[in-house]
Amino acid sequence: MTISFRPRAVTPVHLAVIGAGYVGLTAAACMAESGHDVTCVEASPRRLGMLLEGVMPIYEPGLEEMVAKNVALGRLRFTSDVAEAMRGTRHVLLCVGTPPRQDGTPDLTQISRAARDIAAQAASDLVLIVKSTVPPGTCEAIEILAAESASPGVSVHVASNPEFLRESRAVEDFFNPDRIVVGSDDPEIGREIAELYPAGHPVVVCDRRSSELIKYAANTFLAVKISFANEVAGLCELLGADAAPVLRGVGLDSRIGTAFLHPGPGFGGSCLPKDLSGFLATAESLGYKAPVAAAALAVNQRAPVVVVEKLEAALGPLAGRRIAVLGVAFKPGTDDTRDSPAIEVVRELAARGARVAVHDPMAAADDLPAVTMPTPLAAMAMADAVVVATGWPEYATLEPELAWDAMAGGTLVDASGILDADAWERAGFSVYGVGGGLPTSVRPVIWQPITWATNAQVPVAAG
Ligand SMILES: NC(=O)c1ccc[n+]([C@@H]2O[C@H](COP(=O)([O-])OP(=O)(O)OC[C@H]3O[C@@H](n4cnc5c(N)ncnc54)[C@H](O)[C@@H]3O)[C@@H](O)[C@H]2O)c1
């Protein structure tokens, strides 16, 4: 896939990028495309080997072509050698992982190790730009570590420059960011970092702790939106209202926005759950209560279970039942399964004794208590029910009649909300969504508003 854009001119510099994951590889390729000379350092021999052979270790639309083009132009190279990357380089983008630990706090081992290595190799003053997502205060701590490792006379300035790219749209997001955030205690260096990027986008320059918190707070807010959508969806189900128009009607308010306001199996991926936990851990470490963020986490932990409970309510006990789960990736358009709610759905089904077959167009479903099938129809063969857990567009174009013929039962739970429920119902399926409306005939009667409106007594149930 080719993504068209025209990067605005930058003043080319030598850049080192540390880490060739979603963030580092995208930054390396896009910085090279913008005109910089980029050396990308990757520590994993398997990942580096793939890159040196021209094979992409991750899938991102448009990235493969951009890497190939810039390698061919000599503006982008890959190595495991930090010293090689540091030659003639003042700016280093730190893009290593900050995975969550068991208790939800971020593991900063990769970042502190990389900062020490880089500082030890620096022959002249260095600007270490932290693109990884880190808790407020990390840049200051890293600066102390780097100063301990640097040669006498070499100063290492550590700045925050959080990354906001969305997987599956990473290249597009790099060139059309909503904003570029730079945190530095030196305004000159802040400006220097902002100028590495193509111009024409809002730039927020602030102190380091504020910059680090912008990233945590932004992802926490997105998580809150999704959990709120699921909360509204639950209320819709009790009321017999339909969450789709409700949330659209809410989101079209320009103060609110429709993005991230969709019910489903919850949020996942490598960022939202981790950053929400990091936000909460930061608050807790300061003795500060963050009940809104805490509630978003609690609602999300229940979201995949709610999907399975829906299926159980429709089908009865799940032990021994054959269930097809379509989608394993945490969202469509990516092969990333980190913290995927679809995987939680599979695990929850298996824990209740169901026999699960899964399909995903791109993501591998290794280590799951399920068999992987090459096509959606193969996963659905002889299944009692199907759950659409990831909203891949190809599932929206499945033919319900073919699915009906292939399956043993006719229950569909569309947790992703992408299927045409009417078409599946016409084919014979019983369709359940998250927050889906019920036919008027089976809507539960709501007594309380009737009493509020009429001053009538709440009827006492007989018996
Ligand atoms: N994935 C996203 O969508 C996204 C978006 C915004 C921010 N972030 C943040 O950016 C950071 C990186 O995320 P990611 O998804 O790219 O992680 P990732 O785990 O996919 O990639 C990190 C890479 O860094 C490499 N690495 C670790 N230590 C190294 C070292 N010392 N030298 C060279 N390479 C080293 C690892 O081998 C790995 O390939 C995280 O803090 C994440 O929270 C991620």
Side-chain angles (χ1 to χ4, degrees):
M1 181 181 168
T2 308
I3 293 174
S4 5
F5 57 85
R6 197 185 299 254
R8 304 250 192 112
V10 294
T11 308
V13 298
H14 288 285
L15 276 180
V17 175
I18 313 297
Y22 286 88
V23 170
L25 191 53
T26 304
C30 296
M31 284 293 191
E33 182 74 20
S34 314
H36 297 300
D37 183 79
V38 182
T39 305
C40 182
V41 183
E42 172 53 54
S44 148
R46 193 187 69 84
R47 223 168 230 207
L48 178 65
M50 292 175 81
L51 288 165
L52 292 174
E53 282 172 19
V55 179
M56 284 296 103
I58 54 166
Y59 172 71
E60 267 305 324
L63 192 58
E64 187 168 1
E65 296 85 339
M66 198 171 286
V67 168
K69 175 185 158 191
N70 284 284
V71 167
L73 286 171
R75 286 199 303 232
L76 174 62
R77 63 203 70 80
F78 299 99
T79 180
S80 59
D81 186 351
V82 178
E84 180 191 330
M86 294 301 298
R87 236 164 267 144
T89 298
R90 170 172 164 78
H91 301 97
V92 179
L93 303 184
L94 209 44
C95 306
V96 299
T98 50
R101 291 190 289 215
Q102 205 67 38
D103 65 356
T105 59
D107 181 347
L108 301 177
T109 314
Q110 289 182 37
I111 209 154
S112 41
R113 194 172 290 156
R116 277 204 185 95
D117 287 354
I118 294 156
Q121 297 294 339
S124 53
D125 291 356
L126 194 66
V127 180
L128 197 51
I129 304 162
V130 178
K131 287 193 79 60
S132 302
T133 304
V134 291
T138 303
C139 284
E140 287 156 70
I142 293 295
E143 196 165 83
I144 295 168
L145 287 182
E148 285 168 5
S149 304
S151 305
V154 172
S155 88
V156 181
H157 179 90
V158 180
S160 162
N161 173 215
E163 178 56 61
F164 297 94
L165 65 77
R166 290 164 291 180
E167 284 178 26
S168 79
R169 306 182 51 162
V171 172
E172 238 179 294
D173 283 347
F174 183 93
F175 287 108
N176 298 298
D178 289 334
R179 75 299 210 188
I180 292 164
V181 175
V182 181
S184 171
D185 62 2
D186 179 334
E188 264 313 302
I189 291 181
R191 193 164 322 123
E192 196 178 310
I193 294 168
E195 283 171 2
L196 295 173
Y197 291 89
H201 306 285
V203 178
V204 179
V205 180
C206 54
D207 65 278
R208 294 182 285 192
R209 289 186 197 183
S210 300
S211 168
E212 291 163 326
L213 186 57
I214 287 171
K215 175 67 191 182
Y216 263 2
N219 272 356
T220 297
F221 188 73
L222 294 175
V224 167
K225 264 188 114 176
I226 294 173
S227 281
F228 182 69
N230 275 331
E231 188 166 294
V232 171
L235 192 55
C236 284
E237 286 177 12
L238 290 174
L239 286 168
D242 187 348
V246 169
L247 290 166
R248 189 167 154 69
V250 171
L252 284 172
D253 185 323
S254 60
R255 295 168 300 177
I256 297 172
T258 52
F260 284 68
L261 210 56
H262 307 285
F267 54 81
S270 64
C271 291
L272 257 53
K274 168 175 82 65
D275 297 348
L276 173 59
S277 297
F279 180 94
L280 283 164
T282 302
E284 197 182 319
S285 74
L286 297 164
Y288 182 72
K289 288 196 176 15
V292 174
L297 183 62
V299 170
N300 200 56
Q301 283 164 343
R302 277 265 314 143
V305 181
V306 168
V307 171
V308 173
E309 285 173 353
K310 246 175 229 301
L311 189 60
E312 202 166 46
L315 219 54
L318 295 174
R321 307 306 291 264
R322 296 169 71 128
I323 313 294
V325 176
L326 302 187
V328 174
F330 85 90
K331 66 174 184 179
T334 178
D335 59 352
D336 197 343
T337 58
R338 289 179 282 183
D339 268 332
S340 171
I343 286 184
E344 287 311 309
V345 168
V346 171
R347 290 197 202 287
E348 190 64 35
L349 286 168
R352 292 173 194 227
R355 294 152 68 196
V356 186
V358 299
H359 168 267
D360 192 284
M362 198 141 292
D366 306 331
D367 304 328
L368 278 186
V371 289
T372 305
M373 290 298 181
T375 65
L377 271 189
M380 287 190 274
M382 297 312 293
D384 297 304
V386 54
V387 178
V388 182
T390 311
W392 285 97
E394 39 268 75
Y395 297 152
T397 57
L398 285 171
E399 287 185 41
E401 291 76 17
L402 291 182
W404 179 260
D405 291 343
M407 287 175 57
T411 302
L412 164 69
V413 176
D414 180 13
S416 71
I418 54 149
L419 300 194
D420 176 351
D422 291 342
W424 285 74
E425 270 170 1
R426 276 197 303 276
F429 281 90
S430 302
V431 181
Y432 304 87
V434 178
L438 295 170
T440 318
S441 55
V442 296
R443 281 186 187 175
V445 178
I446 309 150
W447 296 111
Q448 199 62 62
I450 291 172
T451 66
W452 290 336
T454 62
N455 282 332
Q457 292 293 309
V458 177
V460 179

